[in-house]
Amino acid sequence: MKHTDFGSMPCPIARSLGKVGEWWSILILRDAFYGLTRFDEFEKSLKIAPNMLTRRLAGLVEGGLMERRQYSARPPRYEYVLTKAGRDFKPVLLAFVAWGNDHLAPEGASLLVVSRETGKPADQVLVDANSGLAINDEDYMFAPGPAATEGMRTRLVQINQPARA
């Protein structure tokens, strides 16, 4: 099956999905944050077919989220470690944890983000580092960046119009 190439789209969401939009890729990144690095560790944890795991790891390496490093010469063995871009994906995974716990876990949370110091669960919110304020719909909106296309600028003007009474 041929997938659409989102790499040339101006939308950062589309471009990001082009790199990590496959669910296996996101689960591999999750396991990498858990400390897994070796092919057999990912295979065992995810119960994924080796050919599928090979493709997903290759895609994450090609996409710059993981790096393939040789750790044994005889026989040649490799591990997969997060790059800076891969490590920068962590807030996305944390958002999945919070959203999944809030909306998809009627039995209760199976995974929490907790303070190392107190052990208390974090109340995750997206915060503007400049102001310290939580990012919400009342105070923040989408705006075009310097590379926004005319179409994106038009769309953003339309969605940021106040609702008519």
Side-chain angles (χ1 to χ4, degrees), residues 91-138:
V92 178
L93 287 178
L94 295 176
F96 270 115
V97 171
W99 186 82
N101 282 340
D102 287 349
H103 300 285
L104 304 174
E107 72 284 1
S110 62
L111 176 66
L112 296 172
V113 177
V114 300
S115 166
R116 288 184 192 274
E117 185 178 320
T118 67
K120 291 183 180 177
D123 183 13
Q124 292 181 207
V125 295
L126 186 59
V127 175
D128 176 0
N130 294 315
S131 69
L133 297 174
I135 296 177
N136 57 48
D137 289 341
E138 292 80 31

Side-chain angles (χ1 to χ4, degrees), residues 30-46:
R30 175 205 63 188
D31 280 1
F33 279 107
Y34 288 166
L36 304 186
T37 60
R38 298 184 179 174
F39 188 95
D40 60 322
E41 294 173 329
F42 290 116
E43 184 180 23
K44 182 179 178 184
S45 172
L46 297 169

Side-chain angles (χ1 to χ4, degrees), residues 3-158:
H3 288 273
T4 302
D5 178 13
F6 294 136
S8 62
M9 291 183 171
C11 175
I13 296 170
R15 287 181 179 177
S16 298
L17 284 172
K19 296 292 182 195
V20 296
E22 301 281 342
W23 59 77
W24 285 120
S25 298
I26 294 172
L27 293 175
I28 291 167
L29 290 169
R30 175 205 63 188
D31 280 1
F33 279 107
Y34 288 166
L36 304 186
T37 60
R38 298 184 179 174
F39 188 95
D40 60 322
E41 294 173 329
F42 290 116
E43 184 180 23
K44 182 179 178 184
S45 172
L46 297 169
K47 298 174 180 54
I48 183 175
N51 61 334
M52 181 67 72
L53 180 56
T54 297
R55 283 197 304 271
R56 295 296 164 251
L57 285 169
L60 289 167
V61 169
E62 183 182 318
L65 285 100
M66 298 188 91
E67 180 182 350
R68 184 176 183 235
R69 292 185 189 159
Q70 188 170 359
Y71 68 87
S72 171
R74 292 187 185 176
R77 298 274 188 241
Y78 298 88
E79 65 180 354
Y80 297 85
V81 295
L82 294 165
T83 62
K84 179 177 181 339
R87 291 187 304 275
D88 287 349
F89 190 74
K90 191 169 187 176
V92 178
L93 287 178
L94 295 176
F96 270 115
V97 171
W99 186 82
N101 282 340
D102 287 349
H103 300 285
L104 304 174
E107 72 284 1
S110 62
L111 176 66
L112 296 172
V113 177
V114 300
S115 166
R116 288 184 192 274
E117 185 178 320
T118 67
K120 291 183 180 177
D123 183 13
Q124 292 181 207
V125 295
L126 186 59
V127 175
D128 176 0
N130 294 315
S131 69
L133 297 174
I135 296 177
N136 57 48
D137 289 341
E138 292 80 31
D139 299 318
Y140 292 85
M141 64 182 191
F142 291 111
T149 63
E150 201 52 46
M152 182 181 281
R153 290 176 188 282
T154 300
R155 187 169 51 250
L156 290 170
V157 166
Q158 291 170 346

